[in-house]
Amino acid sequence: MSARGGQPVEARGRRPRSRAWRRFRGNRAARVSGWFLAGAVVLLVVTLPFSWAWFNVQDVQHAIRAAPTTGQVVSYTVYEQPLRDHAAGRYASAAGPVMHKASAWFGYDNVGRSLLYRCLFGWLVSLSIGLAAAGLAVTIGVVWGTLAAMAGGRVDLVMMRIVDMLFGLPYILLVIVLKTGLETPLTRLFGDRAQAANVVILFLAIGGVSWLTMARVIRGQVLSLREQPFIEAARAGGIGRFRILWRHLLPNLIGPIVVYATLAVPQAILQESFLSFLGIGVQAPIPSLGRLAADGVAAVNTFVGFWWLITFPCLILVLTLLALNFLGDGLRDALDPKSSAATMVS
Amino acid sequence: MGARLAASLVVVLAAVGLVAADEYDPVRDPAVNPPSLSAAPPTDSVADTIAEDEWLVRHLRADPATLNPILMSSGHELVVKEMLFDEPVVYGPNLEWSLNRAMVDGYSESDDHGTAELRLKPGLVWHDGAPLTARDVVFSWRTILDDQVPAVGARAGVEAIVDCSAADPLTVRYRFAQPLPTNKWSVKFPIIPRHVYEKGRATDPSLTQSAYHQQVNRHPVGNGPYRFLEWTPSNRIVLQRWDEYPGPKPHFARMIFRIVADNNAALLMFKRGELDEMSLIPKQFARQTQDDRFAKVGVKGWAEQATVYCIGWNMDGSNPFFTDARVRRAMSHALNLPLIVEKVYDRLFTRCRGIFPPGSWVYNPDVALFQYDRKRAADLLDAAGWRIDTNDGWRYKTVRGADGQEVRARFEFTLSFAQESKTSPQVAAILQEDLKRLGVDMKLQALEYTTLRGRVFTHEFQAVAWAWTATPEPDDARYLFHSDARAEGRNFVSYSNPEVDALFEQARRSFDVDERRECYQRIARIVYEDAPYTFMINAPSLWAFHKRIRGVRFSPMGPSGFVPGVRDWWVPAGEAIRHGDGSTPSG
Amino acid sequence: MVRYAAKRIGLVVPTLLGITLVTFAMIRLAPGDPAMAAMSRGGPAGMSAQTYARLRDHYGLDEPVWRQYLLWVGQVARLDFGRSFHDGRKVTDRIAERLPATLSLAGGAVFLSLALSIPIGLRSARRRDGPFDTVIGTILYALYSVPRYVMAMILIVIVGVELEWLPPYGMTSEGYAGMSLPGKAADLAKHFVLIVVCFTYPLVAYQSRFVRANLLEVMGQDFIRTARSKGLAESKVVGKHAMRNTLIPLITMMALLVPSVLGGSVILETMFDWPGIGQLFFQAMTQRDYPTVMALSVITAVVVLLCTLLADLAYALVDPRVRYD
């Protein structure tokens, strides 16, 4: 990876960050994307009580694959209600509170669940997976890359060969095994919350393998910075290794790290959707954008009758990824204006 | 910009989406089972009404692993096998035991049913001209039972024959382990040419590893109505009608199996007229074959089939719920089958009426079927001691735990199903909702098919969505429901009922048809009422045929796999589209 | 440089061994085994514990796993990948007959993406933030955000099935064997279009942005300014001096994209019913056909390692600072 550093900044020299901020604000696409994502997060948080309560409520009687409508709501029951009912000894189904009519805007899926609520909740799940996996990837990647580069010699060699090795493993196999191998211990750990365990496994599976590129990038950056005159000067001045790392290297790495992290989020979301398509992503009934899109593809494949099942999840997925990519791009231009196409993620 | 692009995408998808059909009813679909499809071939001597040099292009969903009939196990392999290899005993139109008159002059069992004798027709030959004699049959029997040969499907049943010998070139003698009425089925096994396979055995006893066996397993020498011509992997297998075939010759000069893995791709080919026959999935049958393009080329065949979809309840004691028959019955009452048939299966599937299908000679029409009735389900659960806790609405019961301590257990279990299945999640969701209203918490678990299979074999599940196809011999149900089959066989749910065991043993030894029928009918009733499985529905045969094809009949296992089956299919002379002159679209 | 190269090449073998060891262990950890998979294809009466035991024995699964691994390594060292558990054929034969389909696909995608992304990147860089740069950039980013399988489905349904413009499935039409040579070529080409588009569009999006960014960086450097000041035409400055300095990083990056191309082929080949090695990998995985999975893993790993190696060597050539010692 051609990770050439930009003009290195002397630690706390000129104030590059305020300049970066100005540059970022000048980037319209990035600005709009930022607003879009912020708005989305607000929306998701505000609607969370609803999406959490309704995302898995199915109305198999009436709403199986019902088309979107803006008029009367199709679905009509909520299931806490019947439970209390027959606790009192009555078994007939009682009509519970009615879902908001917005629940019909996106139509219903193959077991009569509101696609709107599923999309909202799945959006949140996808963003969380993306953030968590990217965070994990960045953390491991930065530590690994820096250590390898600083240590140099044989340690560097071995560490980077491990990266090569993981890079060469068949990814699908790796994820299947990570998932099946970890399922039992994690389920035991989480007890009843097996669903939560699944999400954890998934983000380990994605984050755990996507740090490889980060490690390579960071190592390249550090190696390249190490030879820069200002570091050599510092070293000649008798400053210790860790002090150099802390005071001189890390500030110069912030740019690529932030950029990479931002771009790793959409990458992880995309990765999760790929896994969902293979049937090894987020486990039902928890939705993610990828899971919803994959289900939609399966339902629609050569039969376009159920178009809403694919249109809405895909639309949200594409817009989210687009916004995240624009944001990452904007950050890169701002933080590291001259270089670093190299930090784009593969 | 991105938004505009996406918006136009919505418009495109929405515009195409307007063709959606809501409800489907096969009875009202004019393309289903038209009279022409089953029209019998003209029997008088007006020979030119049948297009005898027509080609037939059939769909195959995967490459066969082998064309050696004793190594085969998958359904799609058997479809090719029956055209290449003839067996002395075959299935009749209703899957009854019948002799293949093209090969066999007679079959008789001794009075004590301990031995049997099969007389082959004189002058039989293999496709390569070598004579086919009793020694080939004996060789095949020995090979199938050879432990080094990985025969999976062929081996079942054959173990009942303890000795097989050639009394003379035309007479095969069998000696059975026990005098049983089912012995006649064990004689139904595939035969392979001795002169071909004997050669390689010394160096490769498994018949699979050596280059020689690879060659002969993929370029088989058979004795069926068609001989092997060529096989292009992932593409096609081509067979040619064999002129020396001793039985009635089929009506197609050439049979081409097109290998197409994706069933959407296959349907598209069908609509273009490139396939003459394919099996449809329910979604295709109900929703993707309503257009003009399909109507122009094809018709659909819809027939009941002996495939049972069910939910198995593990009663080996590993969970506190399903050892109690009342609980299992409650589950059966809680399943909303009318809704499932309508919403999930587009009215194509019929509800299952127990372990033997209605067409079977042992079907018991008097079994009272479980009706969807949540009130009854609740009463049964109450009676079984699972009572609702008024605090949270779930059912609880005090049970003895593994360590002997009494614990209060919540009624909460996991239903596993194959993640490849499109309909299982829907069925599960419907049941889940009803159970929730009953105070029972059912969790769902989708597993990859191979994994699921492993869990079921080792009894590591609580409830499982499962399916099997019933064979025509009712004794085969013993492997599913006899208590002896818990450890070694396929009694995955660990069902055990001494009465059922005794009835199976009695029926298995009796040669009195009426007595056997009575036993099996009683078994059918008891098993149904014990509900080790909740019997849901019978999956139908769903097929598409090119509309020029006539003479199609369905057995309980589909339109082929029996005699006459495909051998009776024909095309009227005026409607032939692929003449065997090389200038055809299917070259 | 030579020493560095020799060292890196020498390290390929142990890395490869490591990969195979981990893969071997992983596939054994995955639940289910080939005997179970074979039985799940079997008829209703064929599945008993004895059959299962016999099949396990037939596949040699009862040996200790480490012995199985050593046996396998010994075999592979003699370039023998064994026979498929599924159909008993030589694994190398099975792969060889499918390799052209995947290679032509990958080759087509790489060629097409370079042919598109270099001019796009060049033009975007020359008029940075101009209308072309903005519009194309947005479109490419939007495309880059569409998962491949969604794009594949849209293309199959709309272009292939509804509009019938192009054949959506398979590699050849019926009657391919009887076609004339140009007819064959045209038929193949038609079948290539949709699947190659699906392979290519994310690559184009990614690479053209890469080219653009790299050119922008290079053009800010001294030697370009010198070239300009010498009065060279702008097209020549960009085309000759700047582009040359962008190519090596581009090729480096292409090499690192190979794993993602191979990973994508699993889904795309399955969806387009394309008889390549991605489809084979998917089938072999469901069948737990260990020899085929292992052979495909080795091939993938070798390709990926070689690409990484090439990338690193090329990079070391341009930027000597990253070499070891």
Side-chain angles (χ1 to χ4, degrees), chain C residues 25-76:
Chain C
M26 282 198 310
I27 191 168
R28 294 310 160 101
L29 276 177
D33 63 39
M36 193 62 77
M39 297 214 317
S40 65
R41 295 194 300 272
M47 293 162 282
S48 65
Q50 295 100 311
T51 316
Y52 179 63
R54 217 169 25 243
L55 280 173
R56 275 191 69 90
D57 183 52
H58 175 69
Y59 295 131
L61 300 176
D62 292 327
E63 301 259 346
V65 176
W66 59 268
R67 261 207 74 183
Q68 291 179 47
Y69 178 69
L70 289 183
L71 280 173
W72 181 83
V73 170
Q75 242 182 9
V76 170

Side-chain angles (χ1 to χ4, degrees), chain B residues 155 209 258 448 453 490, chain C residues 44 47 83 174 288:
Chain B
R155 191 169 168 126
Q209 299 297 307
R258 277 289 277 121
E448 184 216 10
R453 191 114 200 154
R490 290 170 295 123
Chain C
M47 293 162 282
R83 286 178 181 278
E174 277 307 288
R288 300 290 191 271

Side-chain angles (χ1 to χ4, degrees), chain B residues 244-299:
Chain B
E244 283 96 86
Y245 182 65
K249 290 181 190 49
H251 300 301
F252 294 91
R254 194 168 272 201
M255 191 171 285
I256 297 152
F257 291 94
R258 277 289 277 121
I259 297 148
V260 185
D262 185 289
N263 53 23
N264 291 312
L267 183 57
L268 207 62
M269 289 179 66
F270 183 91
K271 288 181 182 177
R272 282 202 302 259
E274 293 166 3
L275 287 176
D276 290 333
E277 166 256 285
M278 68 176 285
S279 142
L280 299 173
I281 60 171
K283 183 176 81 169
Q284 292 176 325
F285 196 97
R287 305 189 182 271
Q288 286 167 241
T289 46
Q290 312 290 48
D291 53 338
D292 293 343
R293 269 186 293 174
F294 183 85
K296 221 176 266 171
V297 290
V299 295

Side-chain angles (χ1 to χ4, degrees), chain B residues 1 12 65 73-74 147 155 209 214 218 233-234 258 260 264-265 268 293 448 450 453 457 488 490, chain C residues 39-41 44 47 49 54 58 83 86-89 97-98 138 158 161 164 168-169 174 273 286 288:
Chain B
M1 182 64 218
V12 173
S73 52
S74 303
D147 274 346
R155 191 169 168 126
Q209 299 297 307
Q214 274 301 309
R218 298 178 73 79
S234 314
R258 277 289 277 121
V260 185
N264 291 312
L268 207 62
R293 269 186 293 174
E448 184 216 10
T450 311
R453 191 114 200 154
F457 266 71
E488 298 274 283
R490 290 170 295 123
Chain C
M39 297 214 317
S40 65
R41 295 194 300 272
M47 293 162 282
R54 217 169 25 243
H58 175 69
R83 286 178 181 278
H86 174 64
D87 60 9
R89 296 171 66 206
E97 85 194 8
R98 281 164 173 272
T138 314
I158 294 181
V161 177
E164 288 185 271
Y169 299 112
E174 277 307 288
D273 203 14
T286 14
R288 300 290 191 271

Side-chain angles (χ1 to χ4, degrees), chain A residues 63-194:
Chain A
I64 283 183
R65 284 183 181 139
T69 152
T70 47
Q72 196 45 56
V73 63
V74 188
S75 187
Y76 75 109
T77 43
V78 58
Y79 297 100
E80 271 67 36
Q81 190 65 28
L83 275 182
R84 254 179 268 124
D85 269 357
H86 70 104
R90 279 182 286 130
Y91 296 105
S93 73
V98 177
M99 268 190 203
H100 189 267
K101 73 173 181 187
S103 67
W105 286 354
F106 284 10
Y108 294 83
D109 72 358
N110 63 342
V111 290
R113 295 178 291 205
S114 160
L115 196 61
L116 175 75
Y117 290 122
R118 286 185 74 68
C119 280
L120 287 175
F121 193 65
W123 199 352
L124 198 62
V125 170
S126 279
L127 281 176
S128 315
I129 291 179
L131 284 173
L136 189 74
V138 167
T139 312
I140 303 180
V142 168
V143 171
W144 195 274
T146 322
L147 283 181
M150 295 294 288
R154 201 151 282 179
V155 179
D156 180 24
L157 200 66
V158 171
M159 285 178 87
M160 290 327 280
R161 269 352 92 203
I162 292 177
V163 169
D164 279 359
M165 210 182 88
L166 292 175
F167 209 60
L169 284 175
Y171 178 71
I172 299 176
L173 189 62
L174 184 70
V175 172
I176 291 176
V177 174
L178 259 181
K179 234 179 98 56
T180 43
L182 287 179
E183 202 170 0
T184 322
L186 270 176
T187 314
R188 206 167 290 148
L189 196 71
F190 283 85
D192 282 353
R193 295 275 152 270

